[in-house]
Amino acid sequence: MYSKMNARIFPLITAVLVAGMLQGCGLFGKRGSASEKDNRRGEVTGVPKRANWQQNLPVDMVAIKAGTFWMGQADEDIAHTQSSFNKQITISEFYMDKYEVSNNKYRQFLEAVRLGEYDYGTPTTLKEPPTFNLDEVLPDTTVWSTSFSYHYGDPLMEFYFDHPAFDNYPVVGVSWEQAQMYCEWRTYHMRANDRSDFDMPGFRLPSEAEWEYAAKGGKDVAKYPWGGPYTKNKRGCLMANFKPGRGNYIDDGFAYTAPVDVFAPNGFGLYNMAGNVSEWVMDAYNPVASAITWDLDPVYNDPNESRKIIRGGSWKDIAHYLETSTRTYEYQDVKTAHIGFRTSMTFIGRSGSMDVNNNRRRRR
């Protein structure tokens, strides 16, 4: 039986090989693709055989689809800032960190700077590696004592960043400038070690508009990331890590910060978009930014303005600062015990083309 099968298969294999050789020599069938043939006739059809490319979703990020929403005031302006007027805008697709940057992830950045190693082997990008001074990127651990008057923060000052018990807690004591450096390092780290033929877009801080759109979790008007209007769920549990009353920090379960993956995520799958730590965003502060920025992917950049927007409220803030529309700022070189950050990435490609299954990490 074996010999009979060979008798049938060998002639078939031989015929296929001969046909392939004839086609490769131009003796059988057309030579090249249709576009190549047109190009040889003097037509312009683009460079043939360009590699297909699909943007990879980095680990611990979520894909935010494009959408239109009302940016601005979602409740009473109790501070009377008049800096958050309503405006309908459109946001393009982008990726955003599911969690705030943790102590351990920031520590990986420090280790790379300390060792001067930003890639594992031969870099797969033509970009030059960034240069950092270790002293310039270290978080300020003294903020646990210096940010508050007459406060016993020494235990956190000693243990919060260095001890493994706090690895999954958000990094604090970092300035807006240091957050930008982390984004620069993470961009090179990805590009130098990714096996893709083309560089991915870089990591960056989200724009203020992107942050608010993401915080609302797909809801057009939402006072809080979970919707609202209350800070407790049906069981009476607080929905975020914040200060629910004067002198009361513990009712949410944490006296200070909480791990980056606790409390329920919002509609986009993002954790702690309200409370835990306030978050640096890209924009400089301007009380009339909504009036002077465009209504498509707005961002207010002013290199001469040292005040930068922070969003989301923190563990030490009252509920007003947790609202998706509340705007406040801090100076870009300031480091405190209640400000951290998360990163974003631009999605490149045809508008509206983001795959609905993009939250799954693709194989490279």
Side-chain angles (χ1 to χ4, degrees), residues 17-310:
L17 291 174
V18 171
M21 292 174 62
L22 292 174
Q23 185 172 359
C25 295
L27 302 176
F28 183 78
K30 294 183 178 180
R31 185 181 173 194
S33 65
S35 62
E36 290 174 323
K37 188 174 181 180
D38 289 337
N39 286 335
R40 288 197 299 273
R41 290 176 176 172
E43 303 294 344
V44 177
T45 61
V47 177
K49 298 182 179 178
R50 288 274 289 172
N52 292 326
W53 187 80
Q54 192 173 23
Q55 188 165 338
N56 179 62
L57 181 65
V59 66
D60 285 342
M61 297 192 91
V62 298
I64 311 295
K65 288 184 69 68
T68 298
F69 80 112
W70 283 96
M71 183 177 179
Q73 191 170 329
D75 197 25
E76 181 182 4
D77 183 13
I78 62 173
H80 301 288
T81 63
Q82 299 186 25
S83 66
S84 189
F85 293 115
N86 293 110
K87 180 180 181 179
Q88 184 172 249
I89 64 171
T90 294
I91 297 295
S92 299
E93 303 96 333
F94 66 102
Y95 295 159
M96 190 177 220
D97 282 343
K98 184 185 300 184
Y99 313 111
E100 294 151 336
V101 174
S102 67
N103 283 323
N104 207 27
K105 287 185 177 179
Y106 196 85
R107 188 177 297 108
Q108 184 178 350
F109 168 41
L110 297 185
E111 285 297 297
V113 173
R114 185 177 66 84
L115 299 173
E117 298 176 356
Y118 304 121
D119 55 73
Y120 298 96
T122 303
T124 55
T125 180
L126 298 178
K127 304 289 194 305
E128 290 294 324
T131 56
F132 302 107
N133 184 315
L134 182 60
D135 292 334
E136 293 178 348
V137 298
L138 287 171
D140 183 1
T141 59
T142 66
V143 294
W144 291 108
S145 291
T146 59
S147 293
F148 316 103
S149 300
Y150 303 106
H151 166 252
Y152 183 52
D154 290 0
L156 287 171
M157 184 175 70
E158 181 179 358
F159 295 111
Y160 184 79
F161 182 71
D162 293 321
H163 199 283
F166 293 101
D167 275 357
N168 201 37
Y169 284 65
V171 65
V172 296
V174 291
S175 66
W176 182 86
E177 296 161 336
Q178 289 175 310
Q180 297 280 24
M181 295 178 192
Y182 175 90
C183 292
E184 186 180 357
W185 162 77
R186 188 178 179 187
T187 297
Y188 186 83
H189 174 73
M190 174 187 62
R191 290 174 174 174
N193 300 297
D194 195 331
R195 288 172 288 179
S196 174
D197 293 333
F198 298 92
D199 282 344
M200 293 264 282
F203 293 95
R204 56 178 175 78
L205 293 177
S207 70
E208 183 180 16
E210 286 176 334
W211 191 97
E212 184 170 326
Y213 176 68
K216 291 185 174 180
K219 297 177 175 63
D220 190 33
V221 178
K223 182 177 180 179
Y224 301 111
W226 52 87
Y230 306 111
T231 58
K232 293 183 178 181
N233 60 19
K234 294 179 180 179
R235 295 175 295 175
C237 300
L238 291 170
M239 299 289 288
N241 180 18
F242 69 108
K243 182 182 179 180
R246 184 181 296 274
N248 179 4
Y249 296 88
I250 197 63
D251 275 5
D252 52 52
F254 301 91
Y256 294 95
T257 57
V260 298
D261 56 357
V262 301
F263 298 100
N266 72 356
F268 285 144
L270 301 167
Y271 289 75
N272 290 304
M273 292 299 285
N276 212 23
V277 290
S278 298
E279 298 176 14
W280 292 112
V281 297
M282 183 192 306
D283 300 51
Y285 177 73
N286 188 325
V288 295
S290 63
I292 60 178
T293 52
W294 204 25
D295 55 2
L296 171 62
D297 293 328
V299 61
Y300 182 75
N301 288 321
D302 183 356
N304 298 317
E305 176 56 76
S306 60
R307 295 175 298 175
K308 305 301 181 183
I309 295 289
I310 55 173

